[in-house]
Amino acid sequence: MKQSIFYSKVLLFGEYGIIENSIGLSIPYNFYKGSLKFLNSTKNKEFFYSNLELKKYYKFLFFLKKSKKNLVKIDLKKLQKDIQKGIYFQSNIPKGYGIGSSGALVSSIYDKYAKKKLKKCLNNKNIIILKKIFSQMESFFHGKSSGIDPLICYFNKPLLIRSSTNISAIKIPEKNKFKGKGAIFLLDTGFSRKTSFMIEKFFFVKLKNDEFKKILKEEFMKYNEKCIESFLKGNFKIMLKNVKLLSTWVFIHFRPMIPKIFWKIWKKSLFTDLHYLKLCGSGGGGFILGFTPNYDISKKILKKYTTEVLFRF
């Protein structure tokens, strides 16, 4: 079987804002990846878990077809046969960490089993159609999905989300162009979280408050937009200033989404200016994003935790 590899993603800016039709920037992260494979050796724990999940996912797709709600025709006979033969999703993408484990799986299923697959043309029309398809396909895992994660995993290109109907591929500053000490990095909290819980039990509840909705648009979305603008221009000093504003806002208004063990670290970073932290996706665990003018210093301060560099500047 031809193996198509699908990589993880990182929503660099735009968490929660894109739910309210705000701007976001998502980039692929090729350190983590996954692909559909047939087991050809001794069965292991990963195989049993993944194969069982695919069986459940097959039932979900079958139900969509039977109820005539499916937005894409999937070759369910082939999928069922392959599941019986021992297909599974071999992946090193940590689940519940906010970097697209379900997105990579969904895009791999679409790539292998979708009938009349859309070509990988990076035009707005194709992107929006695929976003709707992926939103439905990924809803099995999160209850509700924007479809953005599978899009990134499928195209393996940075995408700028201006609104739910305006998404385009974009060039980001070259990773190896800048030889500075600064970095954007992932900080491992050490435990996973459930996306749907954070969104439904906290964010949507807060959105019912008109005052919160107002400051979300007037402050959070403004800082977020300026972060994206300065990052894309390669103006990292301005980016760091806006990330500090964003980090402060999140600490005040989204604190339940920050794991309690990181509250002290998060607050201290805002006073020392050695680095700033922000949510990676929905928060609650998984990875946290870090932004620092000097990664060597930040790494020493955070030596208790595992960190991974995404981008140097």
Side-chain angles (χ1 to χ4, degrees):
M1 182 180 80
K2 184 185 174 184
Q3 293 174 6
S4 294
I5 298 171
F6 294 89
Y7 299 95
S8 64
K9 61 85 216 178
V10 172
L11 184 62
L12 208 56
F13 300 105
E15 71 283 356
Y16 290 103
I18 59 171
I19 296 173
E20 284 295 287
N21 225 22
S22 179
I23 193 169
L25 177 64
S26 195
I27 62 171
Y29 183 39
N30 292 1
F31 180 77
Y32 295 108
K33 56 187 178 292
S35 62
L36 288 167
K37 288 186 176 182
F38 284 104
L39 193 74
N40 54 14
S41 58
T42 307
K43 292 181 180 180
N44 55 35
K45 202 173 182 179
E46 182 190 11
F47 162 77
F48 279 117
Y49 177 79
S50 179
N51 188 256
L52 180 63
E53 283 295 296
L54 285 174
K55 285 175 184 175
K56 293 175 185 176
Y57 191 50
Y58 163 81
K59 289 178 181 177
F60 166 76
L61 295 173
F62 183 78
F63 171 78
L64 286 178
K65 183 184 176 183
K66 279 289 181 184
S67 58
K68 296 182 180 178
K69 292 179 181 178
N70 55 316
L71 297 176
V72 63
K73 290 182 178 179
I74 301 290
D75 191 341
L76 292 175
K77 284 185 179 179
K78 189 173 189 298
L79 175 58
Q80 186 182 38
K81 197 176 285 185
D82 285 348
I83 290 170
Q84 290 169 348
K85 284 181 182 177
I87 203 169
Y88 73 113
F89 191 62
Q90 187 182 64
S91 167
N92 69 342
I93 308 171
K95 294 177 179 66
Y97 265 68
I99 59 169
S101 58
S102 60
L105 173 58
V106 166
S107 56
S108 69
I109 293 291
Y110 174 85
D111 184 67
K112 182 164 177 59
Y113 298 103
K115 297 177 180 179
K116 296 180 181 178
K117 226 177 9 175
L118 281 174
K119 290 181 180 178
K120 283 190 180 182
C121 294
L122 284 163
N123 58 59
N124 192 63
K125 185 182 177 182
N126 267 24
I127 287 172
I128 297 306
I129 292 170
L130 274 172
K131 179 181 176 292
K132 287 179 182 177
I133 290 169
F134 287 150
S135 174
Q136 184 185 62
M137 290 179 71
E138 198 183 29
S139 66
F140 168 77
F141 300 96
H142 301 312
K144 187 175 182 179
S145 164
S146 67
I148 297 293
D149 286 7
L151 267 181
I152 300 290
C153 299
Y154 187 65
F155 287 112
N156 197 36
K157 298 282 185 184
L159 292 182
L160 183 65
I161 305 112
R162 292 182 180 88
S163 71
S164 60
T165 55
N166 187 352
I167 303 170
S168 58
I170 193 167
K171 285 187 177 180
I172 63 171
E174 292 177 31
K175 287 183 180 181
N176 300 321
K177 183 181 177 181
F178 305 95
K179 308 285 184 182
K181 295 179 180 179
I184 301 172
F185 61 93
L186 291 173
L187 172 62
D188 190 348
T189 62
F191 55 91
S192 62
R193 82 290 187 275
K194 198 169 183 180
T195 302
S196 57
F197 179 83
M198 300 307 298
I199 294 172
E200 292 168 18
K201 302 295 182 185
F202 183 80
F203 183 67
F204 284 149
V205 172
K206 282 186 78 74
L207 272 184
K208 291 175 182 177
N209 183 305
D210 291 336
E211 184 60 28
F212 172 76
K213 204 166 187 177
K214 185 183 176 186
I215 60 171
L216 181 78
K217 289 183 178 179
E218 291 178 356
E219 298 175 10
F220 178 83
M221 291 181 182
K222 182 179 76 175
Y223 304 148
N224 182 63
E225 190 171 342
K226 286 185 176 180
C227 285
I228 293 173
E229 184 185 332
S230 52
F231 172 77
L232 292 177
K233 287 180 179 178
N235 194 335
F236 301 111
K237 281 187 178 180
I238 298 297
M239 180 196 72
L240 286 171
K241 285 181 181 179
N242 284 292
V243 169
K244 182 178 182 178
L245 291 170
L246 196 61
S247 182
T248 305
W249 195 96
V250 168
F251 189 72
I252 295 168
H253 299 285
F254 281 175
R255 201 173 306 182
M257 300 172 181
I258 303 168
K260 280 188 178 181
I261 58 170
F262 286 92
W263 285 6
K264 191 176 178 181
I265 297 168
W266 197 294
K267 188 177 180 180
K268 189 178 179 181
S269 72
L270 296 172
F271 286 101
T272 61
D273 292 323
L274 294 174
H275 49 251
Y276 309 116
L277 304 176
K278 68 180 288 294
L279 300 176
C280 180
S282 64
F287 285 122
I288 289 173
L289 274 166
F291 297 76
T292 176
N294 192 316
Y295 179 66
D296 290 338
I297 292 174
S298 293
K299 192 175 181 180
K300 284 179 184 177
I301 293 168
L302 299 166
K303 62 183 179 182
K304 184 180 174 183
Y305 305 96
T306 302
T307 59
E308 301 172 24
V309 173
L310 277 176
F311 188 91
R312 295 299 298 249
F313 58 87

